[in-house]
Amino acid sequence: MADWIGATDGGGSKTASALLSSSGELVPLPIAGGCNPQDNRAWKIELEQVMVHLRSGAPSVKAVTMGMPGFGEVRELDRAVSAVVTAGMGATAFICNDVEMAFHGAFPQGEGLLLLVGTGSMAIAGTQAGGSTRITRVGGWGDSFGDEGSGYWIGRQALSLATRELDGRLPATGFAEKLCQALHLSLDRNPLALMEWTAHQDHTRSAIASLAQTINGLAEDGDMRAREVLQDAAHYLAEHHAAGMSKGGLSSGTPWATAGSVFDSAIILGAVSTLIGQPPVGAALPPIGGGLLLAARQAGWAVDTAFIDNLARQLELAPPSHKRT
């Protein structure tokens, strides 16, 4: 009978999980809602549902990586998460920050820099030291006073510029009207439609972060104010890269990779690559692949090139929700 391992890729808006057998069979599990304890009151419910799927999806699971958003940042929340995971999975599970997990997927050999930019923004630099990987983190300070260049930051900047236009505090360029049209809002019926839209969101942070895609569309259509927001975001992200390289002790030219939905924007990707001076390399594995790799090592499996190649092929066949980069 095959042995099994598992991994969970937790996020602010959704949580993906999967199982992998020692014979190389990948089983994607159902998607759950977001499990970030910093901004989601229902995080325990979502995480417990994920663990139900992990326990019921295979006859026995030797090791599970739980990639949790925000883990390692707030001690009280770390204790709460650890208690829920221990109750649900016992000693088979170990927890790490979801961005650190994504780094191990991007760079299985442990050296490089991952720039993950979704709802939040963070750089993870990894260097090899004495046979182990030393992890250095830059950014990820949260939306109250950090996460510059992130999806939330882009959405927040866009809303601010739009409302300043509507007030007359900025020259009118049509940006505010275009943004409202994209959100199917009528300024004629309600001049405060953007305020009402925000108030009606079930998860305000995720909703504002989702505006990054809208802003990218406006920028691609030639809106200069939208393009300026994306260019400003790119400068902040290049700043993350530079600080991560320096703080992590990495030499210039060390490969870097991307993860997160903000890099779906060709404008952002092109601008950041130009500012850094080199394009990103392709991640060897998506974030959940990094979790499975860590679990395989925890279970004592041989994690060699053949293992990584097979896992990459299996994840290529998985649903898009399980192979996001």
Side-chain angles (χ1 to χ4, degrees):
M1 183 179 295
D3 290 327
W4 291 82
I5 58 171
T8 292
D9 178 18
S13 59
K14 72 176 181 67
T15 302
S17 54
L19 293 163
L20 182 72
S21 75
S22 53
S23 61
E25 177 189 0
L26 179 75
V27 179
L29 298 174
I31 295 296
C35 62
N36 189 342
Q38 295 184 13
D39 65 4
N40 186 348
R41 293 180 180 177
W43 70 270
K44 289 183 182 178
I45 297 172
E46 301 295 349
L47 189 57
E48 286 168 349
Q49 186 61 51
V50 167
M51 292 189 292
V52 167
H53 292 310
L54 285 166
R55 292 195 305 268
S56 61
S60 63
V61 181
K62 295 190 67 175
V64 177
T65 305
M66 305 294 291
M68 290 294 297
F71 192 76
E73 298 172 0
V74 181
R75 292 178 183 176
E76 180 181 352
L77 293 178
D78 287 354
R79 287 193 290 268
V81 169
S82 297
V84 172
V85 170
T86 299
M89 299 301 297
T92 62
F94 61 100
I95 312 168
C96 67
N97 187 281
D98 63 322
V99 185
E100 183 177 340
M101 186 179 83
F103 169 84
H104 287 284
F107 298 103
Q109 306 308 318
E111 184 138 325
L113 183 140
L114 178 69
L115 198 52
L116 191 147
V117 190
T119 301
S121 58
M122 188 188 300
I124 292 287
T127 53
Q128 279 292 304
S132 61
T133 302
R134 180 172 67 89
I135 294 294
T136 302
R137 166 180 166 158
V138 168
W141 290 98
D143 56 75
S144 295
F145 53 85
D147 284 347
E148 298 88 350
S150 68
Y152 179 87
W153 184 91
I154 291 169
R156 171 68 176 78
Q157 292 296 108
L159 289 170
S160 178
L161 291 170
T163 53
R164 289 168 69 194
E165 268 199 18
L166 292 172
D167 281 348
R169 290 179 286 142
L170 282 179
T173 66
F175 172 73
E177 287 78 7
K178 292 176 189 175
L179 177 58
C180 289
Q181 288 171 6
L183 297 177
H184 307 292
L185 303 175
S186 172
L187 291 172
D188 292 332
R189 288 199 299 267
N190 182 6
L192 301 179
L194 285 173
M195 185 179 291
E196 187 175 56
W197 175 86
T198 305
H200 286 167
Q201 302 306 312
D202 293 331
H203 195 279
T204 305
R205 182 169 177 257
S206 296
I208 291 175
S210 73
L211 293 179
Q213 184 176 359
T214 302
I215 302 308
N216 183 68
L218 296 179
E220 288 180 337
D221 289 340
D223 186 275
M224 293 308 299
R225 190 146 276 168
R227 184 171 282 271
E228 287 170 5
V229 172
L230 298 187
Q231 291 289 341
D232 288 344
H235 278 276
Y236 279 120
L237 299 179
E239 181 181 277
H240 279 67
H241 174 274
M245 294 286 283
S246 175
K247 193 174 179 181
L250 297 172
S251 60
S252 62
T254 298
W256 68 285
T258 66
S261 59
V262 168
F263 279 113
D264 291 341
S265 166
I267 296 172
I268 290 278
L269 180 60
V272 174
S273 298
T274 298
L275 290 165
I276 289 174
Q278 67 184 77
V281 299
L285 298 167
I288 201 164
L292 290 167
L293 182 147
L294 290 174
R297 288 174 175 159
Q298 186 78 3
W301 294 7
V303 180
D304 52 16
T305 301
F307 174 89
I308 295 168
D309 290 346
N310 176 70
L311 180 54
R313 286 193 298 270
Q314 293 292 317
L315 285 167
E316 276 298 310
L317 302 174
S321 55
H322 289 72
K323 56 185 179 185
R324 70 173 181 85
T325 57

